[in-house]
Amino acid sequence: MPSPTQKALAKVPGPLRPFLVQHRSLVKFLLVGGTCFVLTLVINYGLKLTVCGSKPVVALTIATAVATVVSYLLNRAWSFRSEGSHKEAIPFIVVSAIAVGVNDLPLLASRYVFNLREPNVTHFTQEVADFMSGMILGTLVAMAFRYWAMKKFVFTTTKASGETADEQAEPPARVG
């Protein structure tokens, strides 16, 4: 009986299967990251449009911190499947704190180094610059840092190859 992972892989176009099998922790990490990106976006703009209207870096920091907690839970349970206790919590907190700072740097530079804020630019330009620097550039740089640091320092003790026995099985044969 094929596992749920094997059933899902059977629906993927043939040329993509080897990549997905070989890089399954990266694919899972990216899915978790995408979910947390949307969460960060919603919280960030919710805060910017209400209580943090004049403090965009604070809004982004809070949003990123909340999404980081969700990311930890999802990555620990699914992407990296650690064994044992919660011994990775302290390194995770350290890596995450650094990553929140990395995520904030492009927005800080946009707002306070390049002065892409009102009254120097239009409100529309300010918001586009905030989105591109904080949500896009900051997230991409922090994501690359997090993936490297999580594998290197946090989720280091994994089952055999980081997957369950079902997921270690051979990829399913080509269907149809």
Side-chain angles (χ1 to χ4, degrees), residues 13-74:
L16 288 177
R17 274 187 225 146
F19 175 82
L20 294 177
V21 169
Q22 183 178 2
H23 301 289
R24 65 175 69 108
S25 70
L26 175 61
V27 172
K28 289 177 179 182
F29 179 82
L30 292 174
L31 288 171
V32 168
T35 301
C36 290
F37 175 81
V38 171
L39 180 63
T40 303
L41 188 68
V42 168
I43 294 171
N44 181 47
Y45 280 100
L47 291 171
K48 276 182 75 171
L49 296 173
T50 58
V51 296
C52 292
S54 63
K55 298 180 187 232
V57 177
V58 172
L60 181 61
T61 302
I62 292 169
T64 304
V66 170
T68 297
V69 172
V70 173
S71 171
Y72 171 73
L73 297 172
L74 292 175

Side-chain angles (χ1 to χ4, degrees), residues 5 11 18 31 81 86 95 99 105 109 120 127 143 148 164 171:
T5 302
K11 296 176 184 176
L31 288 171
R81 292 201 186 187
H86 296 277
V95 166
L105 286 175
N120 302 321
E127 293 305 313
M143 177 183 62
W148 170 79
T164 64

Side-chain angles (χ1 to χ4, degrees), residues 33 37 40 60 103 106 133-144 146:
F37 175 81
T40 303
L60 181 61
N103 200 97
S133 63
M135 291 304 302
I136 302 298
L137 183 59
T139 299
L140 288 172
V141 173
M143 177 183 62
R146 276 189 183 103

